[in-house]
Amino acid sequence: MARTNPLTFLQQVRSETAKVTWPSRREVGVSTVMVLVLTSLTAVFFFLVDFLIRSGLGAVLDLVG
């Protein structure tokens, strides 16, 4: 593997960074809101599933015990 001196490396990094298409402020905001909404929905879903399993298991154990 060929070694690159630090100056050349930084020039290459800068060149590659210039090729990146950065998201707009609006796109970042919309993505952030989507992540927060979907995370909240996932939390509610798992809370309900946990509640149903806990309730069902409690009912079964009450019948048995």
Side-chain angles (χ1 to χ4, degrees), residues 2-63:
R3 291 189 142 234
T4 305
N5 70 28
L7 183 59
T8 305
F9 175 74
L10 291 176
Q11 289 171 343
Q12 290 173 352
V13 168
R14 187 172 183 155
S15 171
E16 291 298 320
T17 304
K19 297 177 187 177
V20 174
T21 303
W22 298 102
S24 68
R25 186 174 191 88
R26 178 173 165 73
E27 290 172 330
V28 171
V30 169
S31 296
T32 301
V33 169
M34 287 175 53
V35 166
L36 293 174
V37 167
L38 291 175
T39 302
S40 299
L41 289 174
T42 303
V44 169
F45 171 76
F46 282 115
F47 173 79
L48 292 174
V49 168
D50 180 58
F51 178 76
L52 290 173
I53 291 173
R54 193 172 1 122
S55 298
L57 187 58
V60 169
L61 290 176
D62 283 344
L63 288 175

